[in-house]
Amino acid sequence: MALDRPVQHAYRGKIIKKTIERNRLSSVKRKYYKELEREARAQQQQQQQPDTRANPFKKATQAREDAVRRQDEERRRREREIRQAEARRKASARQRKEQRKKHNARTRRGQPIMANQISSILGKIQQKQQ
């Protein structure tokens, strides 16, 4: 009988270990299948109720986007006008400088060069006719 006891205990321990292992595995399986079921339910609800709620801030966001777009367009238009005005000023300054240079041109004896004076007067007359 003494020999049977250690064998019984060892055998009994194996049974207990197997039972614990089986229970542990089954709890993991239960959690896994429960999670799968939850995901399936959530997906089914999402399919049944598509996101059709209206965005309560849609008008406000649309108005803000429109305002930003208008401001950007206005800013670009102003920048373009400024560049054009600056180009006109530079062109007229260059033209005045050339004209002044021609008008101030003198001969060796200090007399104004009449060809430059006449071309200037002729240019003014032609501009007025157009």
Side-chain angles (χ1 to χ4, degrees):
M1 205 121 147
L3 292 175
D4 291 341
R5 274 192 178 175
V7 172
Q8 263 186 341
H9 288 297
Y11 181 71
R12 192 168 185 208
K14 282 185 179 178
I15 291 174
I16 291 171
K17 284 181 184 177
K18 285 182 182 177
T19 307
I20 290 171
E21 185 69 23
R22 188 173 50 235
N23 289 343
R24 189 174 62 83
L25 289 175
S26 62
S27 70
V28 169
K29 286 179 185 176
R30 275 196 307 273
K31 288 178 185 176
Y32 173 74
Y33 287 116
K34 200 179 263 188
E35 184 65 31
L36 282 179
E37 192 176 317
R38 247 187 245 131
E39 288 176 2
R41 218 177 304 125
Q43 194 175 28
Q44 190 178 28
Q45 285 178 352
Q46 191 177 19
Q47 287 176 353
Q48 287 176 354
Q49 296 176 349
D51 195 18
T52 56
R53 291 186 303 160
N55 185 358
F57 303 109
K58 185 175 182 178
K59 286 183 182 178
T61 56
Q62 187 69 29
R64 179 64 183 148
E65 289 172 359
D66 290 343
V68 168
R69 194 177 309 115
R70 279 195 306 268
Q71 287 174 352
D72 286 343
E73 289 173 3
E74 182 66 23
R75 182 180 47 79
R76 281 192 229 111
R77 185 185 61 78
R78 280 195 313 257
E79 288 175 356
R80 189 172 50 247
E81 287 176 356
I82 289 169
R83 281 194 305 268
Q84 289 173 351
E86 189 174 338
R88 280 195 302 267
R89 279 195 303 273
K90 283 183 179 180
S92 63
R94 183 176 38 82
Q95 195 174 20
R96 282 194 311 270
K97 186 176 180 181
E98 291 172 0
Q99 199 69 23
R100 186 171 52 246
K101 190 174 181 181
K102 284 182 180 179
H103 277 275
N104 288 336
R106 304 288 172 175
T107 63
R108 282 188 307 186
R109 297 178 186 250
Q111 299 296 315
I113 299 176
M114 291 308 289
N116 291 343
Q117 303 292 332
I118 292 173
S119 65
S120 172
I121 294 170
L122 186 61
K124 288 179 183 176
I125 291 171
Q126 286 176 346
Q127 277 184 346
K128 284 187 180 180
Q129 284 180 353
Q130 291 176 356

